[in-house]
Amino acid sequence: MNKLEGKIALITGGGSGIGLATAKQFVNEGAYVFITDLRDSALAAAIKEIGGNVAGVQGDVSNLSDLDRLFAQIKLDKGRLDIVFRERRYRTAARPVRDDNRGAL
């Protein structure tokens, strides 16, 4: 039996990189995986690459209405969630380094 057989997982940032690699591994271990990403094109490509036992939900996990929509979709499709894997990405605004804001970096 696979380690994650019958488990329902959510992986944020699943459209590429570590999130995509984790989603593929979870599916290989028997889980059904929901992936999220900001970009529809990345989700579509990831779903195609993973194959089966995966669903994509476009959204920004820092946006509460997107999170509500995501969890509503998981509840509707599978009724529960067993695993959450948060792939962390940093988004920063570019700003000049000056003496008065150096400590903010």
Side-chain angles (χ1 to χ4, degrees):
M1 183 170 151
N2 291 325
K3 293 178 187 179
L4 301 177
E5 191 70 38
K7 300 293 184 184
I8 309 301
L10 165 62
I11 299 174
T12 67
S16 63
I18 293 169
L20 175 57
T22 303
K24 290 176 7 182
Q25 184 62 38
F26 279 25
V27 167
N28 287 338
E29 291 290 340
Y32 187 93
V33 176
F34 288 88
I35 58 174
T36 66
D37 203 277
L38 293 172
R39 301 160 296 146
D40 281 325
S41 59
L43 279 176
I47 289 168
K48 184 176 180 180
E49 186 174 335
I50 293 168
N53 290 332
V54 64
V57 180
Q58 188 278 331
D60 180 349
V61 296
S62 69
N63 180 306
L64 293 179
S65 63
D66 283 1
L67 280 178
D68 288 342
R69 185 172 46 83
L70 169 63
F71 288 114
Q73 189 65 50
I74 293 170
K75 184 176 182 179
L76 179 67
D77 289 356
K78 295 297 180 180
R80 72 177 204 281
L81 181 61
D82 302 304
I83 302 165
V84 175
F85 181 92
R86 183 177 152 231
E87 201 294 348
R88 186 172 183 164
R89 294 184 185 171
Y90 292 99
R91 284 190 278 168
T92 59
R95 61 182 175 174
V97 175
R98 301 184 322 245
D99 287 338
D100 60 337
N101 71 0
R102 187 174 305 243
L105 296 178

